[in-house]
Amino acid sequence: MVSSESLTILKIGGSVITDKKADDGVVRVNEIRRIAQEISGFKGKLIIVHGAGSFGHPQAKRFSLNEQFNATGSIITHLSVKELCGMVVGILNENGICAVGVHPMCCMLADNGRIKTMFLDHIYCMLEKSIIPVLHGDVVMDNSLGTSVISGDQIVPYLAKQMKAGLLGIGSATAGVLDDKGSTIPVITPKNFENVKKHIRGSENTDVTGGMLGKVQEMLELSDSTYITSHIFDASKPGNIGRFLKGEKIGTVITHEQYECRS
Ligand SMILES: Nc1ncnc2c1ncn2[C@@H]1O[C@H](COP(=O)(O)OP(=O)(O)OP(=O)(O)O)[C@@H](O)[C@H]1O
Ligand SMILES: [Mg+2]
């Protein structure tokens, strides 16, 4: 696999590593093992952000965390995603990948549901020493709301902007962003977004942070303010994470107006 000094950020969706239809945490250990094997040859600087799936979304919904502050519910939700992160990190290490969990609750502050500040110095040090930081969607303290649910889909562009990532991938369980016929939309830019938006919805499962529409909006905003391009692709298809890490263009590209579509 190609070694790269530029930073790669990979989000692995909760719909890939958990059974998202479940009411309470059901992990897909074999999927995490497969993903670990696909990542194991990568030599560049890599940050992993994983989604919550059935560890987090059902709990956040049960305690209405998007509507009201609830200390107990916030902690229960945080502990659930932390448990999933522990399993992901454990399997990565079993497969020879030096990885450590970085829980947003412990190093991030939000304001009105958006990330306000995050301590990043330790993440830079980890990358220098070839340790892969593994972050995840989490409940974090919020200046205005008490706590807020911060999606992995918000963490990825925040890190990409702050740390100037070169390669950005959002792995979920569909072949990118799909149109009404189920075909992958190759490129989304601010120009065609209004037109394709009618095909993009939330999640068919419990998801308190906007599902596919939330992802596309976060990535469009990023490309608008930084010109950083991202790829939404099917991480449940064996081989795709490896292909993404090699720089192959798969799934849907989210980018700015100047991007030229080359097949
Ligand atoms: N146009 C679309 N193309 C693809 N998926 C879509 C579309 N519109 C809605 N969706 C839904 O969005 C889901 C993906 O978003 P979701 O947030 O559930 O996934 P995830 O990121 O893998 O999970 P998590 O948020 O737990 O990390 C798809 O599984 C599908 O149900
Ligand atoms: Mg989601």
Side-chain angles (χ1 to χ4, degrees):
M1 208 160 286
V2 185
S3 166
S4 160
E5 267 318 284
S6 79
L7 174 64
T8 299
I9 304 179
L10 169 67
K11 186 200 168 196
I12 307 166
S15 54
V16 181
I17 58 172
T18 76
D19 176 359
K20 206 164 162 167
K21 290 189 174 62
D23 284 341
D24 214 344
V26 176
V27 68
R28 289 183 170 147
V29 172
N30 288 340
E31 279 295 272
I32 305 176
R33 284 200 186 114
R34 172 188 61 78
I35 290 166
Q37 281 155 16
E38 291 191 37
I39 291 170
S40 64
F42 187 70
K43 298 282 183 255
K45 290 188 162 80
L46 176 66
I47 296 178
I48 295 173
V49 179
H50 69 74
S54 52
F55 290 75
H57 289 292
Q59 295 78 356
K61 194 175 171 198
R62 197 178 309 144
F63 290 99
S64 307
L65 294 188
N66 275 346
E67 284 87 55
Q68 59 189 26
F69 171 71
N70 183 312
T72 306
S74 297
I75 301 301
I76 287 174
T77 307
H78 165 66
L79 289 176
S80 183
V81 281
K82 195 175 161 190
E83 185 190 349
L84 177 62
C85 182
M87 291 187 263
V88 171
V89 166
I91 294 171
L92 289 171
N93 280 280
E94 278 163 26
N95 283 273
I97 300 162
C98 229
V100 67
V102 175
H103 309 303
M105 170 58 114
C106 311
C107 55
M108 183 186 283
L109 180 68
D111 190 30
N112 231 347
R114 303 298 298 174
I115 302 169
K116 186 171 157 37
T117 53
M118 183 178 176
F119 185 73
L120 294 173
D121 292 8
H122 60 323
I123 295 181
Y124 283 110
C125 287
M126 288 170 193
L127 294 172
E128 277 311 310
K129 297 294 176 196
S130 301
I131 294 171
I132 297 181
V134 180
L135 292 94
H136 52 84
D138 203 354
V139 178
V140 310
M141 299 317 295
D142 185 303
N143 263 345
S144 310
L145 306 173
T147 60
S148 57
V149 177
I150 300 294
S151 142
D153 300 331
Q154 188 186 153
I155 297 172
V156 168
Y158 178 86
L159 292 175
K161 194 170 183 172
Q162 298 291 320
M163 302 179 75
K164 299 181 176 46
L167 188 59
L168 209 59
I170 312 288
S172 192
T174 57
V177 185
L178 309 177
D179 64 16
D180 52 341
K181 296 184 176 65
S183 304
T184 304
I185 300 167
V187 184
I188 299 178
T189 68
K191 204 170 169 180
N192 74 350
F193 179 58
E194 281 312 313
N195 191 32
V196 298
K197 194 179 169 185
K198 55 181 178 285
H199 307 307
I200 315 172
R201 305 215 157 69
S203 178
E204 64 187 14
N205 300 304
T206 308
D207 189 290
V208 297
T209 52
M212 188 54 83
L213 186 58
K215 261 180 247 309
V216 174
Q217 283 169 329
E218 294 282 1
M219 298 309 141
L220 269 180
E221 209 176 293
L222 175 75
S223 72
D224 200 36
S225 59
T226 63
Y227 275 30
I228 296 175
T229 289
S230 56
H231 307 259
I232 299 182
F233 67 95
D234 187 359
S236 67
K237 186 174 173 196
N240 267 358
I241 287 182
R243 291 173 62 200
F244 162 74
L245 292 174
K246 283 181 192 149
E248 277 183 45
K249 178 188 160 296
I250 44 174
T252 300
V253 175
I254 313 279
T255 191
H256 49 83
E257 303 295 353
Q258 278 72 30
Y259 181 86
E260 286 175 40
C261 183
R262 297 184 189 94
S263 54

